[in-house]
């Protein structure tokens, strides 16, 4: 079946502009994660969604970052007033989450964001 | 909280030689352990995982890793590498019973030379 998809694959923006990154998880997967891969910080967890529960936003680096997940499926990560340090690859992953056990995360190809 | 240290940022090796990529972790709770591989311009792919049971785990492409609880290590090994193994390798942990978000090491770039 189809894997996790992300769009756009590449995004170039100017400092101060807002950007939206989209993630389509694998159908039926209840858990969705956003990570950021940057040269300086490596791979970092950003935010976690599980079903209709309140998201865990503990990894978001600033209040310029926000995310939502509509209908328990598609997720959008929004970065407001982008800064050059936001330049990174943003990765989305999804899993079929069952409490108390391990569930493999499947990663999308990522969105490469470049802030000029 | 957990943290992961990958001791080598780059590992050059000749084709058909053995390789070991080192990973140490720190955690106050029991963890699951993972190795992911990222080929150039591609996404992350799960190479292998340790959940429980045998401390020696085998993954795809001939890789294996050994969980050592006393040394809090999870080193990745392959007895004979190929040019196609050139990639970046990430060690990761997640807490047992947690929501499952992964804590990654900084990565090790494996370069296999002919």
């Amino acid at each position: 079946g189809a894997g996790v998809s992300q769009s756009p694959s590449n995004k170039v923006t100017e400092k101060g502009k807002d950007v939206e990154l989209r993630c389509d998880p694998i159908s039926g997967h209840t858990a969705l994660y956003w990570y950021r891969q940057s040269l300086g910080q490596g791979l970092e967890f950003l935010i976690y969604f599980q079903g209709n529960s309140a998201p865990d936003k503990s990894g978001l680096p600033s209040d310029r970052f926000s995310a939502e997940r509509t209908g328990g499926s598609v997720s959008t990560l929004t970065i407001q007033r982008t800064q050059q340090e936001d330049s990174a690859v943003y990765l989305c992953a999804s899993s079929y989450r069952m409490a108390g056990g391990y569930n493999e995360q499947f990663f999308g190809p990522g969105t490469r964001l470049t802030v000029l | 909280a957990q943290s992961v240290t990958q001791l080598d940022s780059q590992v050059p090796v000749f084709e058909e030689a053995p390789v070991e990529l080192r990973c140490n972790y720190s955690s106050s709770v029991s963890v699951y352990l993972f190795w992911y591989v990222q080929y150039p311009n591609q996404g992350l792919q799960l190479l292998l995982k340790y959940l429980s049971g045998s401390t020696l785990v085998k993954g795809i492409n001939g890789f294996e890793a050994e969980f050592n609880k006393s040394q809090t290590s999870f080193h990745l090994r392959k007895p004979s590498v190929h040019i196609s193994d050139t990639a970046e390798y990430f060690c990761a942990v997640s807490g047992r019973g947690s929501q499952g978000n992964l804590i990654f090491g900084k990565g090790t770039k494996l370069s296999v030379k002919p």
Side-chain angles (χ1 to χ4, degrees):
Chain A
V4 178
S5 62
Q6 293 185 245
S7 60
S9 55
N10 281 284
K11 176 71 176 180
V12 180
T13 191
E14 293 179 348
K15 178 181 172 180
K17 296 283 181 71
D18 297 351
V19 296
E20 287 189 349
L21 313 179
R22 176 187 169 107
C23 171
D24 283 88
I26 293 172
S27 178
H29 279 192
T30 56
L32 187 146
Y33 306 80
W34 282 97
Y35 297 88
R36 178 170 71 172
Q37 185 174 19
S38 59
L39 283 176
Q41 301 299 322
L43 270 157
E44 307 169 276
F45 163 75
L46 296 178
I47 189 168
Y48 162 71
F49 294 91
Q50 168 57 22
N52 295 320
S53 301
D56 175 2
K57 306 177 183 179
S58 61
L60 295 178
S62 80
D63 59 8
R64 295 185 296 104
F65 288 72
S66 63
E68 63 177 19
R69 189 177 184 193
T70 53
S73 181
V74 172
S75 177
T76 302
L77 178 68
T78 301
I79 309 173
Q80 295 179 309
R81 304 181 302 282
T82 52
Q83 304 293 314
Q84 288 181 333
E85 61 262 28
D86 299 334
S87 295
V89 177
Y90 290 82
L91 295 169
C92 176
S94 71
S95 72
Y96 180 65
R97 183 81 184 143
M98 289 180 66
Y102 163 73
N103 300 279
E104 182 175 346
Q105 292 182 35
F106 294 85
F107 284 82
T111 293
R112 182 175 297 277
L113 174 66
T114 303
V115 182
L116 301 177
Chain B
Q2 294 92 39
S3 66
V4 177
T5 302
Q6 289 184 244
L7 298 163
D8 305 294
S9 59
Q10 297 188 57
V11 173
V13 64
F14 287 107
E15 192 173 19
E16 298 183 4
V19 70
E20 178 180 80
L21 306 183
R22 296 179 292 169
C23 172
N24 287 87
Y25 70 94
S26 172
S27 177
S28 56
V29 300
S30 295
V31 296
Y32 300 130
L33 293 154
F34 310 88
W35 277 97
Y36 283 84
V37 60
Q38 187 174 38
Y39 297 103
N41 300 314
Q42 293 189 29
L44 285 168
Q45 181 181 2
L46 182 64
L47 201 56
L48 50 78
K49 60 184 181 287
Y50 172 77
L51 305 181
S52 65
S54 173
T55 57
L56 182 64
V57 292
K58 295 186 184 296
I60 60 173
N61 301 338
F63 283 92
E64 63 181 33
E66 185 154 20
F67 169 55
N68 187 318
K69 188 175 181 179
S70 63
Q71 298 187 3
T72 60
S73 67
F74 190 55
H75 301 333
L76 181 70
R77 301 185 183 98
K78 186 169 183 178
S80 175
V81 293
H82 303 290
I83 298 287
S84 59
D85 293 322
T86 295
E88 190 158 19
Y89 293 79
F90 294 92
C91 183
V93 303
S94 70
R96 290 176 182 269
S98 73
Q99 63 197 21
N101 53 290
L102 296 162
I103 308 301
F104 288 91
K106 297 282 190 187
T108 297
K109 290 185 179 177
L110 176 65
S111 299
V112 182
K113 304 171 188 294

